[in-house]
Amino acid sequence: MRVTMTVNGHRMDADDVWEGESLLYVLRERLGLAGSKNACEQGECGSCTVFLDEVTVCACLVAAGQAHGRSVRTVEGLAEAGADGAPGLSDVQEAFVAAGAVQCGFCTPGLLVQTEDLLRRTVAAGAGAPSDAEIREALAGNLCRCTGYEAVIEAVRLAAEWTERGRPAGGPARGEAR
Amino acid sequence: MTSTAAASVVGQPVSRVDGPLKVAGGATYAAEFDPGPGLCHGAIVTSTVASGRIASIDTAAAEAAPGVVAVLTHRNAPVLPYHEHKGLTDPPEGERIHLLQDDRVRHQGQPVALAVAETLEEAVYAASLVRVSYRPESAVTAFSDAVAHAVPPGPRYRDRGLEGDGGRGDADAALGAAPVRIEAEYVMPRLNHNPIEPHGTVARWSEGELTLWDKTQWVDNVRAEMAAVFGLPPDRVRVVSPFVGGAFGSGLRPWANVTLAAMASRHVDRPVKVVLTRRQMFGITGYRPRSTHRVALGADRDGQLLAIRHEGVSETSTYETYAEEQLGSSEYLYACRDVATRYRVAPRNVQTPNDMRGPGKVTGVHALECAMDELAAALDMDPVELRLRNDTIVDQSTGVPFSSRSLRECYQAAGERFGWSRRNPRPGAMRDERGRLVGYGCASATWPAMRQAAEARARLLPDGSAVVSSSSSDMGPGTYTSMTQVAAETLGLPLERVRFELGDTRMPTAPVHGGSWTMASLGSAVQAACAEARRRALAEIGRADADLAAVLRQIGEPVEATVRTEPGDELRRYSAHSFGAVFAEVAVDPDLCTVRVPRLVGAYGVGRVVNPKTARSQITGGMVMGMGMALTERTEVDPRDARPVNSSLADYLVPVNADVGELDAVFVDEEDPHVNPLGVKGLGEIGTVGVAAAICNAVYHATGRRVRELPVTVERVLGAAVR
């Protein structure tokens, strides 16, 4: 079957999709969007988290056909392109780099999507920055084996601060201490 | 070094240079490489008995399924040479399984067929249609049965310095005479690395040349192994692995996915991708072996250790002997005249274990440090004081001094940050505001500072930039970043003008990315290569003090140097180890007996720290792995048939964000002039060592219950709480 979706703002068609294929498989293997990761195939690890009509889902648990006619946003679509057309980084993405919340990088795409969602529901909606407990709970479905989550919490706090007050001009110096 | 700005790069908390690529979803991991047209997918069929022969294997239905290109079994797979090859990370004793070469089954989960199809879903479906029947043979499935037939590690391990029996003096006599004695047994279950990225390989043959995109910590060893398996000259095999989604040791050996992808690709004459499922990660890759330890300690009434007897046994497979140095730390961590260690391996019909973060030490130090806490209780002495009383500046197992040792400083720094002085020594005496029992515990940590030969190339370009390369890996610690820092500092170029490349067998040869030795080994080579390239560039214009970028523009063509460095005899003259002290606070619900860890605080003496930001994250990640070992992680193996029963991330409980409390890791100032040119001792593994012991000791302090079998589950604490 043919599956048509809006992916990161662009209309995309996937042909010859077998009915049992997951949204994750179609994104990775048919549409060339390998940013969303495949790590458990059964919704346990959160590495494949994407927005489906702006609700976060594990793409491995969504049949590709269920996404037909709907809108999907992946890690590749979190940031708007910069003025020169070069890919930019969102506040959340920049904060993860600055806080050292990225190690091997494999859980990172799912964590970024889930964090984006958390901040949209909280600080961006005028409800204030999430507490540490809220952050930990919101991200409890995204397994990370490298960082121990400490730097992840730090990154989310930083991103919340930037969302509230704006990112420092020129972005964070990448060589700077936290 | 002429540029003072660049000279201060080492030691700075530089953000990960590959961070922007990773957060944009642009880093390409093994299974994501595009090998060109015709890619097909392989799905592995695995055995369902622990030992036996394949009686029949029916592939007709699978072959007729949609999209199927081939189904490989031992009956139609190519006969491969499988020449002898043992890399440093392969067990020296025994022989690896020759995949699909005969009808023999040696463990549950052994690959017995591979279905290759146009899409993954078609391959998986075809694999489900393969019908296999077995003639089971007698098997050792229960650990307890294996222990009954445990043996010493064997002569090739002795050649590597791993003896079954070790120690000094007469521990039995000293124990008998000691005024205070404790003895206890500790059980540590099998643990799986569970990196978030599963192991996977894309294989492509082109004119007799094999290219593999693989998840590995050691591209050169994958090349050597595939050259041996397929009978190829090594230069006909290329292995590429620029990004690794975590490994913790699971990437030290090539697993079945590598050989099967290469075999299938040659068979169907198309590129083939084989990725292990999460379930197969438990049945095909290695793991930290299940172990049982017995520790006896004797001391005088002032807490001076008089005797240590430490015995341990761990599981291995029947076809290879995997042994690890579990007891070495009991011979050098503390001053003690009479020490006896006895280590055995127990063959079982399972796949071979392999190194997992802090191999040996994580296990042995857990038992020793729990026993030290029991001794402190028997002495009615502060557990920190007991450790400090037995501190030593000489490694008594070899008689040579430590190159540096800051165990005392670590206990002081971490203890102060933790607030150890607030501890009421009586178990069950502390409560938090929610009425939970609070316990404080501590433990020592140690990991050897090792170094291997390494080679790096520095290529200086006319535009004033540099590309430095070596075949190493970055499974997450930050190799890209730390090597860029060392190169920039040595060259005197700004960080942004230096690019470090790794993960390709075409690059100069790096040692295996493991053992916490990448910084010491490759860092030294990168430093030497950059210094030599800089010297050559400056020599060309005959000035030693000029600005390198200007010199390069003037020369107008690339200047290159490839340098191999190797350790001298420093590690024979000194005993080199990182040391640390870790403190845990637990909160135990008195009714439900759930254990939470509000705080973990560690201090570490690791020599020079190249990048405090990445280093801290390494340690906190290691601590949480230790917390998992303490509270939630275990691979349950069915004693009836040796099958791992909880082989998913829903049943094997890796700590999640909401499980974790406050983490604090600090490095004490430590200068080690002996260990290597950079003065680094390594910090990849030590963060995991000792954490489980600190937590168990804290649980005792909270409840009065010694939980001597990991993990510390509710049922093991139940009924213990001091009311």
Side-chain angles (χ1 to χ4, degrees), chain B residues 627-655:
Chain B
M627 196 190 105
M629 170 182 170
L631 299 181
T632 56
E633 294 186 38
R634 62 175 150 184
T635 303
E636 292 274 21
V637 179
D638 192 325
R640 298 166 305 176
D641 62 9
R643 186 177 63 92
V645 293
N646 59 332
S647 45
S648 75
L649 291 174
D651 297 313
Y652 183 102
L653 302 178
V654 166

PDB file of all heavy atoms in Angstrom, chain B residues 627-655:
ATOM      1  N   MET B 627      24.090   1.401  40.331  1.00  0.00           N
ATOM      2  CA  MET B 627      22.816   1.430  41.036  1.00  0.00           C
ATOM      3  C   MET B 627      21.862   0.378  40.468  1.00  0.00           C
ATOM      4  O   MET B 627      21.133  -0.291  41.207  1.00  0.00           O
ATOM      5  CB  MET B 627      22.200   2.826  40.901  1.00  0.00           C
ATOM      6  CG  MET B 627      21.099   3.100  41.876  1.00  0.00           C
ATOM      7  SD  MET B 627      20.253   4.640  41.446  1.00  0.00           S
ATOM      8  CE  MET B 627      18.772   3.955  40.755  1.00  0.00           C
ATOM      9  N   GLY B 628      21.900   0.229  39.148  1.00  0.00           N
ATOM     10  CA  GLY B 628      21.086  -0.822  38.525  1.00  0.00           C
ATOM     11  C   GLY B 628      21.494  -2.193  39.028  1.00  0.00           C
ATOM     12  O   GLY B 628      20.660  -3.034  39.373  1.00  0.00           O
ATOM     13  N   MET B 629      22.809  -2.410  39.094  1.00  0.00           N
ATOM     14  CA  MET B 629      23.324  -3.680  39.609  1.00  0.00           C
ATOM     15  C   MET B 629      22.842  -3.916  41.045  1.00  0.00           C
ATOM     16  O   MET B 629      22.484  -5.027  41.431  1.00  0.00           O
ATOM     17  CB  MET B 629      24.849  -3.647  39.557  1.00  0.00           C
ATOM     18  CG  MET B 629      25.566  -4.772  40.275  1.00  0.00           C
ATOM     19  SD  MET B 629      27.363  -4.515  40.141  1.00  0.00           S
ATOM     20  CE  MET B 629      27.967  -5.767  41.289  1.00  0.00           C
ATOM     21  N   ALA B 630      22.810  -2.847  41.826  1.00  0.00           N
ATOM     22  CA  ALA B 630      22.423  -2.979  43.226  1.00  0.00           C
ATOM     23  C   ALA B 630      20.940  -3.292  43.376  1.00  0.00           C
ATOM     24  O   ALA B 630      20.558  -4.110  44.215  1.00  0.00           O
ATOM     25  CB  ALA B 630      22.761  -1.690  43.981  1.00  0.00           C
ATOM     26  N   LEU B 631      20.097  -2.648  42.599  1.00  0.00           N
ATOM     27  CA  LEU B 631      18.661  -2.666  42.910  1.00  0.00           C
ATOM     28  C   LEU B 631      17.763  -3.369  41.890  1.00  0.00           C
ATOM     29  O   LEU B 631      16.707  -3.880  42.273  1.00  0.00           O
ATOM     30  CB  LEU B 631      18.153  -1.230  43.076  1.00  0.00           C
ATOM     31  CG  LEU B 631      18.793  -0.410  44.208  1.00  0.00           C
ATOM     32  CD1 LEU B 631      18.170   0.976  44.262  1.00  0.00           C
ATOM     33  CD2 LEU B 631      18.630  -1.118  45.554  1.00  0.00           C
ATOM     34  N   THR B 632      18.106  -3.347  40.624  1.00  0.00           N
ATOM     35  CA  THR B 632      17.115  -3.808  39.641  1.00  0.00           C
ATOM     36  C   THR B 632      17.624  -4.788  38.598  1.00  0.00           C
ATOM     37  O   THR B 632      16.836  -5.550  38.040  1.00  0.00           O
ATOM     38  CB  THR B 632      16.525  -2.606  38.867  1.00  0.00           C
ATOM     39  OG1 THR B 632      17.594  -1.862  38.259  1.00  0.00           O
ATOM     40  CG2 THR B 632      15.722  -1.698  39.773  1.00  0.00           C
ATOM     41  N   GLU B 633      18.913  -4.776  38.288  1.00  0.00           N
ATOM     42  CA  GLU B 633      19.364  -5.536  37.118  1.00  0.00           C
ATOM     43  C   GLU B 633      19.729  -6.978  37.464  1.00  0.00           C
ATOM     44  O   GLU B 633      20.439  -7.234  38.429  1.00  0.00           O
ATOM     45  CB  GLU B 633      20.581  -4.854  36.476  1.00  0.00           C
ATOM     46  CG  GLU B 633      20.238  -3.500  35.870  1.00  0.00           C
ATOM     47  CD  GLU B 633      21.401  -2.881  35.116  1.00  0.00           C
ATOM     48  OE1 GLU B 633      22.137  -3.618  34.452  1.00  0.00           O
ATOM     49  OE2 GLU B 633      21.559  -1.650  35.208  1.00  0.00           O
ATOM     50  N   ARG B 634      19.264  -7.900  36.641  1.00  0.00           N
ATOM     51  CA  ARG B 634      19.696  -9.299  36.689  1.00  0.00           C
ATOM     52  C   ARG B 634      19.140  -9.987  35.460  1.00  0.00           C
ATOM     53  O   ARG B 634      18.001  -9.764  35.077  1.00  0.00           O
ATOM     54  CB  ARG B 634      19.209 -10.011  37.946  1.00  0.00           C
ATOM     55  CG  ARG B 634      17.695 -10.064  38.045  1.00  0.00           C
ATOM     56  CD  ARG B 634      17.223 -10.877  39.245  1.00  0.00           C
ATOM     57  NE  ARG B 634      15.935 -10.350  39.715  1.00  0.00           N
ATOM     58  CZ  ARG B 634      15.299 -10.782  40.784  1.00  0.00           C
ATOM     59  NH1 ARG B 634      15.798 -11.744  41.503  1.00  0.00           N
ATOM     60  NH2 ARG B 634      14.142 -10.244  41.145  1.00  0.00           N
ATOM     61  N   THR B 635      19.960 -10.806  34.873  1.00  0.00           N
ATOM     62  CA  THR B 635      19.466 -11.653  33.798  1.00  0.00           C
ATOM     63  C   THR B 635      19.146 -12.993  34.428  1.00  0.00           C
ATOM     64  O   THR B 635      20.026 -13.698  34.912  1.00  0.00           O
ATOM     65  CB  THR B 635      20.527 -11.817  32.702  1.00  0.00           C
ATOM     66  OG1 THR B 635      20.903 -10.521  32.223  1.00  0.00           O
ATOM     67  CG2 THR B 635      19.971 -12.637  31.539  1.00  0.00           C
ATOM     68  N   GLU B 636      17.855 -13.320  34.448  1.00  0.00           N
ATOM     69  CA  GLU B 636      17.405 -14.582  35.050  1.00  0.00           C
ATOM     70  C   GLU B 636      17.617 -15.689  34.036  1.00  0.00           C
ATOM     71  O   GLU B 636      17.105 -15.614  32.915  1.00  0.00           O
ATOM     72  CB  GLU B 636      15.911 -14.499  35.382  1.00  0.00           C
ATOM     73  CG  GLU B 636      15.569 -13.521  36.492  1.00  0.00           C
ATOM     74  CD  GLU B 636      15.688 -14.138  37.867  1.00  0.00           C
ATOM     75  OE1 GLU B 636      16.389 -15.162  38.014  1.00  0.00           O
ATOM     76  OE2 GLU B 636      15.089 -13.583  38.798  1.00  0.00           O
ATOM     77  N   VAL B 637      18.349 -16.701  34.417  1.00  0.00           N
ATOM     78  CA  VAL B 637      18.579 -17.840  33.530  1.00  0.00           C
ATOM     79  C   VAL B 637      17.830 -19.036  34.107  1.00  0.00           C
ATOM     80  O   VAL B 637      18.040 -19.407  35.263  1.00  0.00           O
ATOM     81  CB  VAL B 637      20.086 -18.128  33.407  1.00  0.00           C
ATOM     82  CG1 VAL B 637      20.317 -19.332  32.503  1.00  0.00           C
ATOM     83  CG2 VAL B 637      20.815 -16.903  32.870  1.00  0.00           C
ATOM     84  N   ASP B 638      16.958 -19.613  33.303  1.00  0.00           N
ATOM     85  CA  ASP B 638      16.161 -20.750  33.772  1.00  0.00           C
ATOM     86  C   ASP B 638      17.102 -21.922  34.094  1.00  0.00           C
ATOM     87  O   ASP B 638      17.817 -22.398  33.204  1.00  0.00           O
ATOM     88  CB  ASP B 638      15.163 -21.152  32.678  1.00  0.00           C
ATOM     89  CG  ASP B 638      14.116 -22.126  33.194  1.00  0.00           C
ATOM     90  OD1 ASP B 638      14.466 -22.965  34.057  1.00  0.00           O
ATOM     91  OD2 ASP B 638      12.963 -22.062  32.733  1.00  0.00           O
ATOM     92  N   PRO B 639      17.111 -22.378  35.347  1.00  0.00           N
ATOM     93  CA  PRO B 639      18.060 -23.450  35.694  1.00  0.00           C
ATOM     94  C   PRO B 639      17.750 -24.768  34.993  1.00  0.00           C
ATOM     95  O   PRO B 639      18.605 -25.642  34.923  1.00  0.00           O
ATOM     96  CB  PRO B 639      17.901 -23.583  37.214  1.00  0.00           C
ATOM     97  CG  PRO B 639      16.584 -22.976  37.538  1.00  0.00           C
ATOM     98  CD  PRO B 639      16.314 -21.934  36.491  1.00  0.00           C
ATOM     99  N   ARG B 640      16.541 -24.898  34.427  1.00  0.00           N
ATOM    100  CA  ARG B 640      16.188 -26.161  33.773  1.00  0.00           C
ATOM    101  C   ARG B 640      16.743 -26.264  32.366  1.00  0.00           C
ATOM    102  O   ARG B 640      17.095 -27.338  31.900  1.00  0.00           O
ATOM    103  CB  ARG B 640      14.665 -26.320  33.723  1.00  0.00           C
ATOM    104  CG  ARG B 640      14.014 -26.374  35.095  1.00  0.00           C
ATOM    105  CD  ARG B 640      12.518 -26.186  34.969  1.00  0.00           C
ATOM    106  NE  ARG B 640      12.196 -24.941  34.254  1.00  0.00           N
ATOM    107  CZ  ARG B 640      10.974 -24.565  33.930  1.00  0.00           C
ATOM    108  NH1 ARG B 640       9.948 -25.319  34.205  1.00  0.00           N
ATOM    109  NH2 ARG B 640      10.781 -23.415  33.292  1.00  0.00           N
ATOM    110  N   ASP B 641      16.776 -25.118  31.657  1.00  0.00           N
ATOM    111  CA  ASP B 641      17.213 -25.209  30.259  1.00  0.00           C
ATOM    112  C   ASP B 641      18.200 -24.113  29.857  1.00  0.00           C
ATOM    113  O   ASP B 641      18.523 -23.979  28.681  1.00  0.00           O
ATOM    114  CB  ASP B 641      15.994 -25.208  29.325  1.00  0.00           C
ATOM    115  CG  ASP B 641      15.186 -23.927  29.441  1.00  0.00           C
ATOM    116  OD1 ASP B 641      15.643 -22.968  30.098  1.00  0.00           O
ATOM    117  OD2 ASP B 641      14.085 -23.867  28.850  1.00  0.00           O
ATOM    118  N   ALA B 642      18.686 -23.321  30.829  1.00  0.00           N
ATOM    119  CA  ALA B 642      19.730 -22.311  30.601  1.00  0.00           C
ATOM    120  C   ALA B 642      19.280 -21.188  29.667  1.00  0.00           C
ATOM    121  O   ALA B 642      20.095 -20.533  29.026  1.00  0.00           O
ATOM    122  CB  ALA B 642      21.015 -22.942  30.082  1.00  0.00           C
ATOM    123  N   ARG B 643      17.985 -20.974  29.583  1.00  0.00           N
ATOM    124  CA  ARG B 643      17.485 -19.908  28.713  1.00  0.00           C
ATOM    125  C   ARG B 643      17.304 -18.621  29.515  1.00  0.00           C
ATOM    126  O   ARG B 643      16.695 -18.642  30.582  1.00  0.00           O
ATOM    127  CB  ARG B 643      16.125 -20.325  28.126  1.00  0.00           C
ATOM    128  CG  ARG B 643      15.553 -19.376  27.089  1.00  0.00           C
ATOM    129  CD  ARG B 643      14.249 -19.941  26.531  1.00  0.00           C
ATOM    130  NE  ARG B 643      13.231 -20.056  27.578  1.00  0.00           N
ATOM    131  CZ  ARG B 643      12.331 -19.111  27.867  1.00  0.00           C
ATOM    132  NH1 ARG B 643      12.302 -17.996  27.176  1.00  0.00           N
ATOM    133  NH2 ARG B 643      11.442 -19.286  28.828  1.00  0.00           N
ATOM    134  N   PRO B 644      17.833 -17.498  29.003  1.00  0.00           N
ATOM    135  CA  PRO B 644      17.541 -16.214  29.682  1.00  0.00           C
ATOM    136  C   PRO B 644      16.048 -15.928  29.553  1.00  0.00           C
ATOM    137  O   PRO B 644      15.500 -15.987  28.439  1.00  0.00           O
ATOM    138  CB  PRO B 644      18.355 -15.188  28.892  1.00  0.00           C
ATOM    139  CG  PRO B 644      19.297 -15.967  28.031  1.00  0.00           C
ATOM    140  CD  PRO B 644      18.667 -17.308  27.809  1.00  0.00           C
ATOM    141  N   VAL B 645      15.384 -15.684  30.677  1.00  0.00           N
ATOM    142  CA  VAL B 645      13.924 -15.579  30.615  1.00  0.00           C
ATOM    143  C   VAL B 645      13.425 -14.136  30.581  1.00  0.00           C
ATOM    144  O   VAL B 645      12.285 -13.896  30.207  1.00  0.00           O
ATOM    145  CB  VAL B 645      13.247 -16.311  31.795  1.00  0.00           C
ATOM    146  CG1 VAL B 645      13.475 -17.802  31.683  1.00  0.00           C
ATOM    147  CG2 VAL B 645      13.725 -15.784  33.126  1.00  0.00           C
ATOM    148  N   ASN B 646      14.254 -13.184  30.962  1.00  0.00           N
ATOM    149  CA  ASN B 646      13.764 -11.793  31.002  1.00  0.00           C
ATOM    150  C   ASN B 646      14.486 -10.938  29.961  1.00  0.00           C
ATOM    151  O   ASN B 646      14.951  -9.844  30.236  1.00  0.00           O
ATOM    152  CB  ASN B 646      13.933 -11.198  32.403  1.00  0.00           C
ATOM    153  CG  ASN B 646      15.371 -11.192  32.878  1.00  0.00           C
ATOM    154  OD1 ASN B 646      16.162 -12.035  32.476  1.00  0.00           O
ATOM    155  ND2 ASN B 646      15.720 -10.236  33.717  1.00  0.00           N
ATOM    156  N   SER B 647      14.539 -11.473  28.740  1.00  0.00           N
ATOM    157  CA  SER B 647      15.361 -10.821  27.720  1.00  0.00           C
ATOM    158  C   SER B 647      14.615  -9.713  26.979  1.00  0.00           C
ATOM    159  O   SER B 647      14.414  -9.781  25.774  1.00  0.00           O
ATOM    160  CB  SER B 647      15.901 -11.866  26.754  1.00  0.00           C
ATOM    161  OG  SER B 647      14.903 -12.770  26.373  1.00  0.00           O
ATOM    162  N   SER B 648      14.204  -8.706  27.714  1.00  0.00           N
ATOM    163  CA  SER B 648      13.639  -7.504  27.113  1.00  0.00           C
ATOM    164  C   SER B 648      13.882  -6.360  28.081  1.00  0.00           C
ATOM    165  O   SER B 648      14.194  -6.580  29.245  1.00  0.00           O
ATOM    166  CB  SER B 648      12.125  -7.664  26.879  1.00  0.00           C
ATOM    167  OG  SER B 648      11.432  -7.563  28.120  1.00  0.00           O
ATOM    168  N   LEU B 649      13.724  -5.138  27.599  1.00  0.00           N
ATOM    169  CA  LEU B 649      13.957  -3.987  28.469  1.00  0.00           C
ATOM    170  C   LEU B 649      12.769  -3.727  29.397  1.00  0.00           C
ATOM    171  O   LEU B 649      12.836  -2.875  30.277  1.00  0.00           O
ATOM    172  CB  LEU B 649      14.282  -2.743  27.638  1.00  0.00           C
ATOM    173  CG  LEU B 649      15.640  -2.813  26.926  1.00  0.00           C
ATOM    174  CD1 LEU B 649      15.826  -1.615  26.001  1.00  0.00           C
ATOM    175  CD2 LEU B 649      16.785  -2.888  27.929  1.00  0.00           C
ATOM    176  N   ALA B 650      11.670  -4.481  29.211  1.00  0.00           N
ATOM    177  CA  ALA B 650      10.563  -4.394  30.166  1.00  0.00           C
ATOM    178  C   ALA B 650      10.814  -5.312  31.355  1.00  0.00           C
ATOM    179  O   ALA B 650      10.275  -5.095  32.441  1.00  0.00           O
ATOM    180  CB  ALA B 650       9.244  -4.766  29.490  1.00  0.00           C
ATOM    181  N   ASP B 651      11.629  -6.344  31.137  1.00  0.00           N
ATOM    182  CA  ASP B 651      11.848  -7.340  32.193  1.00  0.00           C
ATOM    183  C   ASP B 651      13.255  -7.281  32.770  1.00  0.00           C
ATOM    184  O   ASP B 651      13.484  -7.722  33.896  1.00  0.00           O
ATOM    185  CB  ASP B 651      11.570  -8.738  31.640  1.00  0.00           C
ATOM    186  CG  ASP B 651      10.120  -8.890  31.223  1.00  0.00           C
ATOM    187  OD1 ASP B 651       9.244  -8.503  32.001  1.00  0.00           O
ATOM    188  OD2 ASP B 651       9.859  -9.380  30.104  1.00  0.00           O
ATOM    189  N   TYR B 652      14.198  -6.791  31.991  1.00  0.00           N
ATOM    190  CA  TYR B 652      15.537  -6.513  32.520  1.00  0.00           C
ATOM    191  C   TYR B 652      15.537  -5.025  32.834  1.00  0.00           C
ATOM    192  O   TYR B 652      15.453  -4.187  31.930  1.00  0.00           O
ATOM    193  CB  TYR B 652      16.613  -6.846  31.490  1.00  0.00           C
ATOM    194  CG  TYR B 652      18.027  -6.634  32.029  1.00  0.00           C
ATOM    195  CD1 TYR B 652      18.802  -7.715  32.435  1.00  0.00           C
ATOM    196  CD2 TYR B 652      18.580  -5.352  32.135  1.00  0.00           C
ATOM    197  CE1 TYR B 652      20.085  -7.526  32.934  1.00  0.00           C
ATOM    198  CE2 TYR B 652      19.849  -5.160  32.642  1.00  0.00           C
ATOM    199  CZ  TYR B 652      20.601  -6.246  33.031  1.00  0.00           C
ATOM    200  OH  TYR B 652      21.863  -6.056  33.535  1.00  0.00           O
ATOM    201  N   LEU B 653      15.619  -4.685  34.103  1.00  0.00           N
ATOM    202  CA  LEU B 653      15.302  -3.314  34.508  1.00  0.00           C
ATOM    203  C   LEU B 653      16.541  -2.434  34.600  1.00  0.00           C
ATOM    204  O   LEU B 653      17.227  -2.386  35.617  1.00  0.00           O
ATOM    205  CB  LEU B 653      14.546  -3.325  35.834  1.00  0.00           C
ATOM    206  CG  LEU B 653      13.240  -4.146  35.802  1.00  0.00           C
ATOM    207  CD1 LEU B 653      12.571  -4.145  37.173  1.00  0.00           C
ATOM    208  CD2 LEU B 653      12.283  -3.625  34.740  1.00  0.00           C
ATOM    209  N   VAL B 654      16.805  -1.760  33.494  1.00  0.00           N
ATOM    210  CA  VAL B 654      17.810  -0.702  33.476  1.00  0.00           C
ATOM    211  C   VAL B 654      17.214   0.496  34.212  1.00  0.00           C
ATOM    212  O   VAL B 654      16.034   0.800  34.038  1.00  0.00           O
ATOM    213  CB  VAL B 654      18.112  -0.329  32.004  1.00  0.00           C
ATOM    214  CG1 VAL B 654      18.878   0.963  31.905  1.00  0.00           C
ATOM    215  CG2 VAL B 654      18.853  -1.462  31.307  1.00  0.00           C
ATOM    216  N   PRO B 655      17.983   1.169  35.086  1.00  0.00           N
ATOM    217  CA  PRO B 655      17.394   2.316  35.796  1.00  0.00           C
ATOM    218  C   PRO B 655      16.844   3.359  34.818  1.00  0.00           C
ATOM    219  O   PRO B 655      17.462   3.635  33.786  1.00  0.00           O
ATOM    220  CB  PRO B 655      18.578   2.893  36.584  1.00  0.00           C
ATOM    221  CG  PRO B 655      19.515   1.753  36.749  1.00  0.00           C
ATOM    222  CD  PRO B 655      19.365   0.920  35.507  1.00  0.00           C
TER     223      PRO B 655
END
